[in-house]
Amino acid sequence: MSWKTTLTRPNWLRARSQQPNRRRGQLSPAQLIALTYAGGILLGTLLLSLPGVYQVGQSLSLIQRLFTATSAICVTGLVVADTAETFSIFGQIILLLLIQVGGVGIITFGTLFAFLRGRRINFSERMQLAQQVQALDVGGVLPLIRAIFTYTLVAELIGTLLLWTRFGPEQGTWPGLYSAFFHAVSAYNSAGFVLGDFSRYVADPLISLTVTALIVLGGLGFLVQLNVLSNIHRPRQNRLLTYTKLTLTITGLLLVLGTLLIALTEWHNPKTLGPLPLSGKLLASLFQSATPRSAGFSTLHIASMQPASILVVMILMLIGASPGSTGGGIKTTTLAVLVGSAWNMVRGRGELVVFGRRIEPDIVVRAGTVTTLYAGLLLSALFVLMATNGHLSFELLLFEAISAAATVGLSLDVTHQINTAGLLLLTALMYLGRIGPLTFAVAFNLRGNTAIKYPAERDIPIG
């Protein structure tokens, strides 16, 4: 497998600027991603309107179906009704398909089917794929796509087999296998949909560690996973990339720090870690540290946590997973670039250097842009939520908004209390969180690049 990834400006941005004469009516990669996810949401809503989708006596309104379809295809996990009690097996399978397609990527699936049919993939389609999976070498996209599907299938099957060893004896052979597969796909794709109450496995190392591993793998991003595997297989020919080292470092630090902070604040809480043995407390703290990174599973009752723990969870949700992964948030590399740039400025240094590599200034600008867009999006959404759902507190609505925008799916048990206007807003947040606010902004920037170059200005005080 031959593909390259470096921490430089993505090829889809370079290609966009290098192709100003794109034919009229031809969609850019950003536009195609935005429109295909919107189309997928509408299709999912229609599928959830089919007969036999719900258990006898259960149903969802049109807005609730739209919300649930968006939550599934944007791999979020926020729900307005219990999945196992509301949906039939047929309905659950539809949700599972939406999760799988949304997690790996709609365009990725479409390209795979075209490839299997023998159709030639042109350069424009390669660009679209490169943006979706954050591949920075357009020429190496197709081998990467094949590797992604193979790796995803293997990871989910291994997760299924491990979970089946526990679910099989509990639920029966075939129901247990189905449950294991559902949760393996949901965990690896950072979806957070569950069948039943997961809190009963709070001290179960097999279930907790398997789901945690799937969440972490899905949140690392496909490029990182494949780079690590190729490095293990042929270390001399496939070095660990700067992007991989940065992602692994930040992910590990956040996982450890989150575990320590949650354990510290919840250790004696009688509603969470208090009744558990030492091993159970550590296991639950680790699980709750991993799941806000865009997964949405929980083995503790999040609403029963201390305010300090809830703040930690919100920060982890906002940071999210890594680029090119199934998760959302501002991304780990964005955090690393922002923190590194700030530290450089404090120390009076010029260029940002990571693992012996210089980070180009446009990467720093991009990180600041993503963070600013997320902050503006969350503040605007929070204002509307508070204006339309005054019966809920600021903390509850802020948690819900971050969970939706970062495509996490955790909730303080208030999703079902939010009115129609609030559900529509959360639906929009999940959509924007999945495709990325910057992708959405680029997709509908109708003016394009300008050829005018203005004089520079350096006399603007900051801070």
Side-chain angles (χ1 to χ4, degrees):
M1 180 177 63
S2 174
W3 52 272
K4 300 177 182 179
T5 305
T6 56
L7 199 59
T8 58
R9 183 169 54 164
N11 274 43
W12 64 271
L13 283 179
R14 293 201 295 270
R16 187 175 187 269
S17 62
Q18 294 168 0
Q19 291 186 329
N21 298 322
R22 190 174 67 242
R23 292 192 300 272
R24 186 179 298 275
Q26 182 179 354
L27 296 176
S28 69
Q31 289 171 332
L32 186 62
I33 288 176
L35 292 176
T36 50
Y37 268 94
I41 289 170
L42 294 178
L43 177 60
T45 304
L46 292 176
L47 291 175
L48 293 181
S49 302
L50 294 175
V53 168
Y54 302 98
Q55 301 274 14
V56 177
Q58 300 290 330
S59 65
L60 295 178
S61 67
L62 176 61
I63 299 301
Q64 291 174 327
R65 293 197 296 271
L66 173 65
F67 181 89
T68 304
T70 305
S71 183
I73 208 159
C74 295
V75 288
T76 304
L78 285 175
V79 293
V80 292
D82 183 88
T83 302
E85 295 179 359
T86 304
F87 292 93
S88 64
I89 296 296
F90 176 52
Q92 293 170 19
I93 291 175
I94 290 177
L95 289 177
L96 200 60
L97 290 174
L98 293 176
I99 290 169
Q100 187 71 83
V101 172
V104 175
I106 295 175
I107 297 176
T108 309
F109 265 99
T111 303
L112 176 68
F113 294 146
F115 183 79
L116 292 176
R117 292 199 307 268
R119 185 171 71 80
R120 190 171 181 270
I121 309 301
N122 59 38
F123 182 76
S124 176
E125 292 169 319
R126 289 171 185 259
M127 283 172 46
Q128 294 156 4
L129 284 165
Q131 181 179 356
Q132 178 165 290
V133 300
Q134 298 291 314
L136 308 185
D137 181 0
V138 173
V141 166
L142 291 183
L144 174 62
I145 295 300
R146 291 196 296 268
I148 285 174
F149 275 95
T150 301
Y151 186 84
T152 298
L153 180 62
V154 170
E156 290 176 349
L157 287 178
I158 293 176
T160 298
L161 292 176
L162 290 174
L163 294 177
W164 191 30
T165 61
R166 180 73 76 246
F167 292 158
E170 286 183 357
Q171 305 172 25
T173 301
W174 298 116
L177 181 61
Y178 167 74
S179 179
F181 181 68
F182 186 98
H183 290 103
V185 172
S186 182
Y188 185 76
N189 288 282
S190 304
F193 281 82
V194 296
L195 303 177
D197 183 12
F198 237 66
S199 62
R200 65 182 184 273
Y201 301 113
V202 63
D204 188 318
L206 176 63
I207 299 297
S208 293
L209 292 178
T210 299
V211 173
T212 297
L214 290 171
I215 291 171
V216 172
L217 287 175
L220 283 176
F222 301 113
L223 297 180
V224 172
Q225 299 173 49
L226 296 175
N227 185 208
V228 171
L229 287 178
S230 61
N231 175 260
I232 293 174
H233 181 58
R234 293 180 178 177
R236 293 185 178 180
Q237 292 85 353
N238 299 287
R239 65 178 180 85
L240 283 182
L241 306 171
T242 302
Y243 166 63
T244 299
K245 295 176 183 177
L246 191 62
T247 299
L248 292 174
T249 300
I250 299 300
T251 298
L253 288 175
L254 290 174
L255 196 61
V256 172
L257 184 60
T259 301
L260 292 176
L261 290 176
I262 291 174
L264 178 66
T265 53
E266 297 296 320
W267 196 265
H268 299 293
N269 187 346
K271 296 181 180 179
T272 55
L273 297 183
L276 299 176
L278 175 61
S279 60
K281 290 180 178 181
L282 296 176
L283 193 62
S285 298
L286 173 65
F287 192 93
Q288 263 59 229
S289 176
T291 192
R293 308 291 307 289
S294 211
F297 285 78
S298 61
T299 54
L300 296 178
H301 189 220
I302 302 297
S304 299
M305 284 184 167
Q306 302 288 352
S309 301
I310 293 176
L311 176 61
V312 170
V313 170
M314 286 195 286
I315 293 173
L316 292 175
M317 289 196 299
L318 189 57
I319 296 171
S322 302
S325 72
T326 58
I330 65 171
K331 302 297 191 294
T332 53
T333 49
T334 301
L335 174 69
V337 170
L338 288 176
V339 173
S341 299
W343 183 241
N344 258 22
M345 183 67 69
V346 170
R347 300 180 67 186
R349 292 186 173 182
E351 296 178 334
L352 175 60
V353 177
V354 177
F355 295 110
R357 298 285 180 171
R358 176 176 56 85
I359 305 303
E360 294 184 358
D362 62 337
I363 294 293
V364 179
V365 172
R366 182 177 171 84
T369 302
V370 169
T371 305
T372 301
L373 288 174
Y374 254 96
L377 180 66
L378 280 173
L379 289 175
S380 302
L382 182 60
F383 174 81
V384 177
L385 281 174
M386 293 179 68
T388 56
N389 290 267
H391 60 288
L392 296 174
S393 69
F394 170 82
E395 176 189 298
L396 296 177
L397 293 176
L398 176 62
F399 192 98
E400 204 79 6
I402 294 177
S403 182
T407 67
V408 178
L410 292 175
S411 176
L412 298 179
D413 298 337
V414 299
T415 310
H416 63 283
Q417 301 179 41
I418 295 177
N419 61 21
T420 299
L423 288 179
L424 288 173
L425 179 61
L426 292 178
T427 299
L429 282 177
M430 289 187 287
Y431 168 70
L432 291 174
R434 182 63 182 115
I435 67 173
L438 183 57
T439 298
F440 185 81
V442 170
F444 296 98
N445 176 20
L446 301 181
R447 293 183 60 186
N449 297 327
T450 178
I452 301 175
K453 190 173 182 65
Y454 295 94
E457 177 59 68
R458 298 182 61 86
D459 296 329
I460 300 178
I462 300 294

